Amino acid sequence: MNKKQLNELTDEELLKEAKKIRTGQIMDAVLIGVLIGILIYSVMSTNFSIFLILILLYVIYKLATKNKYKKSEIESFLKRRNLK
């Protein structure tokens, strides 16, 4: 969503978007934890390859940076409208 679309949202819709982002962040955190566990297991079990490590690190990075801009935009709109 761009700023124009966020301005047009009602308070309830904006709170729903914020809740969706929080839920998505929880799911991303769980997935990142699982991927880190796979990474640690593959390194400890001597069955690791550099290719697998690079793929897992790339996926972890992409999940960690996903929706960072959208989250900050929605938080700024929530603060402007004095919503929690």
Side-chain angles (χ1 to χ4, degrees):
M1 287 187 173
N2 58 21
K3 285 186 179 184
K4 188 174 185 179
Q5 291 175 335
L6 287 175
N7 280 333
E8 296 171 357
L9 292 178
T10 64
D11 291 345
E12 288 182 19
E13 291 172 338
L14 194 60
L15 288 171
K16 285 181 184 179
E17 286 292 323
K19 187 175 181 179
K20 280 183 197 177
I21 288 179
R22 278 187 228 117
T23 305
Q25 285 180 324
I26 292 170
M27 294 301 294
D28 289 345
V30 168
L31 190 55
I32 288 171
V34 168
L35 291 174
I36 289 174
I38 291 170
L39 183 67
I40 290 171
Y41 176 76
S42 67
V43 168
M44 299 304 261
S45 68
T46 66
N47 291 334
F48 74 96
S49 69
I50 298 298
F51 186 67
L52 175 67
I53 291 172
L54 291 177
I55 289 174
L56 287 175
L57 288 175
Y58 177 74
V59 171
I60 290 169
Y61 170 76
K62 286 306 241 184
L63 285 172
T65 59
K66 182 176 111 177
N67 291 333
K68 194 178 235 183
Y69 178 72
K70 185 177 179 181
K71 178 188 173 213
S72 65
E73 283 294 315
I74 289 180
E75 285 178 353
S76 69
F77 276 100
L78 287 173
K79 284 181 183 178
R80 275 191 231 151
R81 295 183 184 184
N82 293 326
L83 300 173
K84 194 168 189 180

